[in-house]
Amino acid sequence: MGFLSLVYVLFFFFGDKVHCQYENYQWDEDYDQEPNEDYEPEFQFRQNVEYGIYQHSLGCARECFCPTNFPSSMYCDNRKLKTIPNIPMHIQQLYLQFNEIEAVTTNSFINATHLKEINLSHNKIKSQKIDYGVFAKFSNLLQLHLEHNNLEEFPFPLPKSLERLLLGYNEISTVQTSAMDGLVNLTMLDLCYNHLHDSVFKGKNLAKMEKLMQLNLCHNRLESMPPGLPSSLMYLSLENNSISSITDKYFDKLPKLHALRLSHNKLQDIPHNIFNLSNLIELNVGHNRLKQAFYIPRNLEHLYLENNEIENINVTMMCPSIDPLHLHHLTYLRVDQNKLKEPISSYIFSCFPHIHSIYYGEQRGANGQTIQLKTQVFGRFQDDDDDDDDDGDGHDNPHEDQETEGTEEHFNPHYYETQEW
Ligand SMILES: *[C@@H]1O[C@H](CO)[C@@H](O)[C@H](O)[C@H]1NC(C)=O
Ligand SMILES: *[C@@H]1O[C@H](CO)[C@@H](O)[C@H](O)[C@H]1NC(C)=O
Ligand SMILES: *[C@@H]1O[C@H](CO)[C@@H](O)[C@H](O)[C@H]1NC(C)=O
Ligand SMILES: *[C@@H]1O[C@H](CO)[C@@H](O)[C@H](O)[C@H]1NC(C)=O
Ligand SMILES: *[C@@H]1O[C@H](CO)[C@@H](O)[C@H](O)[C@H]1NC(C)=O
Ligand SMILES: *[C@@H]1O[C@H](CO)[C@@H](O)[C@H](O)[C@H]1NC(C)=O
């Protein structure tokens, strides 16, 4: 129980991070649509008067704002800047997001050697306008935000100290051979919404990123699973690619995977025990071409199978045997937009006694017509004392969100809080 609690606390923590990541994307998109003209950080002008002298003494770029209570931070975001101002020596956090910056030049950073965090997201930076080695010399840099730019290449070289690297929403299609080699401290790498093909992984050794916990490769052009991933990985996001198969032993080297997102791919035939991963808690393989279910690992809680070609869910395959001492943890199953003709065999409740709901939604018939199974939603409210407030969590009421949008609505962190493990 103690161990399990730890696992769930961990998942809650990181799972939430994944969750936030996606929220960011949505938020960013919304933000983009609004004109930025009238955005003005409230504190900007007043501060210049009040703290002018102080700012001057330590140095703050004229265009930017350096708050007294965070003297090592410099805010230059949302200022229509076309170039990076000169960065004073003492600055550790540099915020340059939402500008019109095209180039990253060595000169701007000539004195800045203490940077720990640089946010250059939402600019117009092109790969060939980044001076060679400009980032690599920041030997203390932990976070680099370059998402929403016009990069065509994975930036190289980067400092070995880096822990979080965000490169989403660019046009990256090439990665230099050794670009990822030195990034031994990287824990999170986001490459979603780029133009990556399978070929970028040829001759690369991603396994050298021994601390990598989260890798986001969603919305790229991959046709197969990325090879040679580090065994430290806990969160892998590959949705919206064109992946059609997974080889037999693919996950053998990824024993720590907690969450795997493979929705919107072309998965068809996969080995029936491919997801036999003892730490897997969330699995999304919705919007693929699967014809069959597969073995469900014991710790899996949320399974998304919607929009596939499944005609018949073979519970024996999902659960070949029942071990009363090690019951399966599955609580939520989504199977709408498949080709089911009848509800899943009730044997499923013997094998997965924690199931709270199965969402059947609409099924597709042979001639493209939609079929409503008698049971559209199976919801069970257990009698256990601690489970009485089930319908309050909004977690699995599919009537509320008819949209089949992603996993977010169904991944409710609150749910984990209210569970007793
Ligand atoms: C770098 O620091 C030196 C000495 O403090 C100063 O004279 C110079 O103007 C600074 N350069 C930039 C680009 O900030
Ligand atoms: C960096 O900018 C992005 C906007 O693109 C923002 O969402 C994020 O919170 C910023 N990061 C930090 C640490 O301020
Ligand atoms: C990596 O992180 C460890 C622990 O935080 C630190 O001691 C080490 O110096 C870091 N490595 C690099 C190359 O910065
Ligand atoms: C993934 O791609 C599909 C089809 O191109 C699209 O309908 C869907 O909205 C995308 N998913 C996300 C999360 O953007
Ligand atoms: C799952 O993996 C375990 C070892 O990790 C093995 O004992 C078990 O037979 C596997 N189950 C299936 C269905 O492959
Ligand atoms: C269900 O799966 C089991 C185990 O893989 C297999 O033996 C059985 O034939 C399958 N049943 C059907 C109806 O496909």
mmCIF file of all heavy atoms in Angstrom, residues 363-378:
data_model
loop_
_atom_site.group_PDB
_atom_site.id
_atom_site.type_symbol
_atom_site.label_atom_id
_atom_site.label_comp_id
_atom_site.label_asym_id
_atom_site.label_seq_id
_atom_site.Cartn_x
_atom_site.Cartn_y
_atom_site.Cartn_z
ATOM 1 N N GLN A 363 -21.700 2.855 -32.199
ATOM 2 C CA GLN A 363 -20.859 1.907 -32.933
ATOM 3 C C GLN A 363 -21.155 2.053 -34.416
ATOM 4 O O GLN A 363 -22.228 2.525 -34.792
ATOM 5 C CB GLN A 363 -21.115 0.489 -32.447
ATOM 6 C CG GLN A 363 -20.788 0.284 -30.963
ATOM 7 C CD GLN A 363 -19.309 0.482 -30.664
ATOM 8 O OE1 GLN A 363 -18.451 0.073 -31.446
ATOM 9 N NE2 GLN A 363 -19.006 1.117 -29.533
ATOM 10 N N ARG A 364 -20.178 1.653 -35.234
ATOM 11 C CA ARG A 364 -20.394 1.767 -36.680
ATOM 12 C C ARG A 364 -20.820 0.420 -37.249
ATOM 13 O O ARG A 364 -20.211 -0.607 -36.941
ATOM 14 C CB ARG A 364 -19.105 2.236 -37.359
ATOM 15 C CG ARG A 364 -18.836 3.733 -37.133
ATOM 16 C CD ARG A 364 -17.476 4.120 -37.643
ATOM 17 N NE ARG A 364 -16.431 3.578 -36.788
ATOM 18 C CZ ARG A 364 -15.261 3.114 -37.220
ATOM 19 N NH1 ARG A 364 -14.980 3.115 -38.488
ATOM 20 N NH2 ARG A 364 -14.373 2.651 -36.367
ATOM 21 N N GLY A 365 -21.813 0.417 -38.071
ATOM 22 C CA GLY A 365 -22.253 -0.815 -38.707
ATOM 23 C C GLY A 365 -21.472 -1.078 -39.978
ATOM 24 O O GLY A 365 -20.649 -0.273 -40.388
ATOM 25 N N ALA A 366 -21.744 -2.228 -40.594
ATOM 26 C CA ALA A 366 -20.995 -2.630 -41.786
ATOM 27 C C ALA A 366 -21.192 -1.648 -42.932
ATOM 28 O O ALA A 366 -20.284 -1.370 -43.706
ATOM 29 C CB ALA A 366 -21.415 -4.032 -42.214
ATOM 30 N N ASN A 367 -22.377 -1.068 -43.044
ATOM 31 C CA ASN A 367 -22.647 -0.183 -44.175
ATOM 32 C C ASN A 367 -22.473 1.291 -43.820
ATOM 33 O O ASN A 367 -23.052 2.157 -44.471
ATOM 34 C CB ASN A 367 -24.075 -0.410 -44.682
ATOM 35 C CG ASN A 367 -24.348 -1.877 -44.892
ATOM 36 O OD1 ASN A 367 -23.486 -2.598 -45.394
ATOM 37 N ND2 ASN A 367 -25.518 -2.336 -44.481
ATOM 38 N N GLY A 368 -21.722 1.528 -42.787
ATOM 39 C CA GLY A 368 -21.448 2.912 -42.427
ATOM 40 C C GLY A 368 -22.517 3.541 -41.552
ATOM 41 O O GLY A 368 -22.371 4.669 -41.118
ATOM 42 N N GLN A 369 -23.607 2.808 -41.284
ATOM 43 C CA GLN A 369 -24.635 3.382 -40.394
ATOM 44 C C GLN A 369 -24.168 3.300 -38.946
ATOM 45 O O GLN A 369 -23.292 2.507 -38.621
ATOM 46 C CB GLN A 369 -25.988 2.673 -40.588
ATOM 47 C CG GLN A 369 -26.165 1.369 -39.826
ATOM 48 C CD GLN A 369 -25.605 0.163 -40.573
ATOM 49 O OE1 GLN A 369 -24.643 0.283 -41.335
ATOM 50 N NE2 GLN A 369 -26.168 -0.994 -40.331
ATOM 51 N N THR A 370 -24.728 4.127 -38.093
ATOM 52 C CA THR A 370 -24.334 4.059 -36.692
ATOM 53 C C THR A 370 -25.323 3.210 -35.918
ATOM 54 O O THR A 370 -26.512 3.169 -36.237
ATOM 55 C CB THR A 370 -24.262 5.452 -36.040
ATOM 56 O OG1 THR A 370 -25.542 6.065 -36.152
ATOM 57 C CG2 THR A 370 -23.226 6.308 -36.720
ATOM 58 N N ILE A 371 -24.795 2.538 -34.927
ATOM 59 C CA ILE A 371 -25.604 1.615 -34.134
ATOM 60 C C ILE A 371 -25.504 2.026 -32.673
ATOM 61 O O ILE A 371 -24.422 2.317 -32.179
ATOM 62 C CB ILE A 371 -25.052 0.171 -34.278
ATOM 63 C CG1 ILE A 371 -25.163 -0.278 -35.729
ATOM 64 C CG2 ILE A 371 -25.766 -0.777 -33.335
ATOM 65 C CD1 ILE A 371 -24.435 -1.572 -36.012
ATOM 66 N N GLN A 372 -26.637 2.086 -32.029
ATOM 67 C CA GLN A 372 -26.630 2.333 -30.584
ATOM 68 C C GLN A 372 -26.787 0.981 -29.899
ATOM 69 O O GLN A 372 -27.801 0.314 -30.102
ATOM 70 C CB GLN A 372 -27.821 3.210 -30.172
ATOM 71 C CG GLN A 372 -27.968 4.488 -30.955
ATOM 72 C CD GLN A 372 -27.141 5.613 -30.383
ATOM 73 O OE1 GLN A 372 -26.642 5.500 -29.258
ATOM 74 N NE2 GLN A 372 -26.966 6.676 -31.131
ATOM 75 N N LEU A 373 -25.808 0.610 -29.106
ATOM 76 C CA LEU A 373 -25.978 -0.609 -28.319
ATOM 77 C C LEU A 373 -26.995 -0.300 -27.229
ATOM 78 O O LEU A 373 -27.213 0.848 -26.882
ATOM 79 C CB LEU A 373 -24.648 -1.026 -27.695
ATOM 80 C CG LEU A 373 -23.544 -1.377 -28.676
ATOM 81 C CD1 LEU A 373 -22.328 -1.851 -27.920
ATOM 82 C CD2 LEU A 373 -24.002 -2.451 -29.645
ATOM 83 N N LYS A 374 -27.608 -1.346 -26.713
ATOM 84 C CA LYS A 374 -28.603 -1.120 -25.671
ATOM 85 C C LYS A 374 -28.006 -0.341 -24.495
ATOM 86 O O LYS A 374 -28.596 0.559 -23.957
ATOM 87 C CB LYS A 374 -29.183 -2.463 -25.199
ATOM 88 C CG LYS A 374 -30.639 -2.634 -25.631
ATOM 89 C CD LYS A 374 -31.247 -3.874 -25.017
ATOM 90 C CE LYS A 374 -31.249 -5.014 -26.040
ATOM 91 N NZ LYS A 374 -31.221 -6.342 -25.432
ATOM 92 N N THR A 375 -26.814 -0.732 -24.142
ATOM 93 C CA THR A 375 -26.117 -0.021 -23.071
ATOM 94 C C THR A 375 -25.186 0.981 -23.721
ATOM 95 O O THR A 375 -24.189 0.594 -24.310
ATOM 96 C CB THR A 375 -25.205 -0.988 -22.280
ATOM 97 O OG1 THR A 375 -25.817 -2.243 -22.298
ATOM 98 C CG2 THR A 375 -24.932 -0.500 -20.909
ATOM 99 N N GLN A 376 -25.513 2.233 -23.617
ATOM 100 C CA GLN A 376 -24.614 3.202 -24.234
ATOM 101 C C GLN A 376 -23.450 3.508 -23.311
ATOM 102 O O GLN A 376 -22.316 3.716 -23.721
ATOM 103 C CB GLN A 376 -25.381 4.462 -24.561
ATOM 104 C CG GLN A 376 -24.886 5.078 -25.839
ATOM 105 C CD GLN A 376 -25.498 6.422 -26.054
ATOM 106 O OE1 GLN A 376 -26.590 6.697 -25.591
ATOM 107 N NE2 GLN A 376 -24.782 7.273 -26.746
ATOM 108 N N VAL A 377 -23.794 3.570 -22.038
ATOM 109 C CA VAL A 377 -22.765 3.819 -21.039
ATOM 110 C C VAL A 377 -22.951 2.769 -19.973
ATOM 111 O O VAL A 377 -24.068 2.532 -19.533
ATOM 112 C CB VAL A 377 -22.974 5.185 -20.353
ATOM 113 C CG1 VAL A 377 -21.855 5.444 -19.365
ATOM 114 C CG2 VAL A 377 -23.079 6.279 -21.371
ATOM 115 N N PHE A 378 -21.884 2.131 -19.614
ATOM 116 C CA PHE A 378 -21.982 1.336 -18.412
ATOM 117 C C PHE A 378 -21.317 2.124 -17.303
ATOM 118 O O PHE A 378 -20.153 2.463 -17.392
ATOM 119 C CB PHE A 378 -21.277 -0.013 -18.569
ATOM 120 C CG PHE A 378 -21.126 -0.692 -17.253
ATOM 121 C CD1 PHE A 378 -22.172 -1.439 -16.743
ATOM 122 C CD2 PHE A 378 -19.990 -0.515 -16.496
ATOM 123 C CE1 PHE A 378 -22.056 -2.030 -15.497
ATOM 124 C CE2 PHE A 378 -19.880 -1.106 -15.250
ATOM 125 C CZ PHE A 378 -20.918 -1.865 -14.752
#
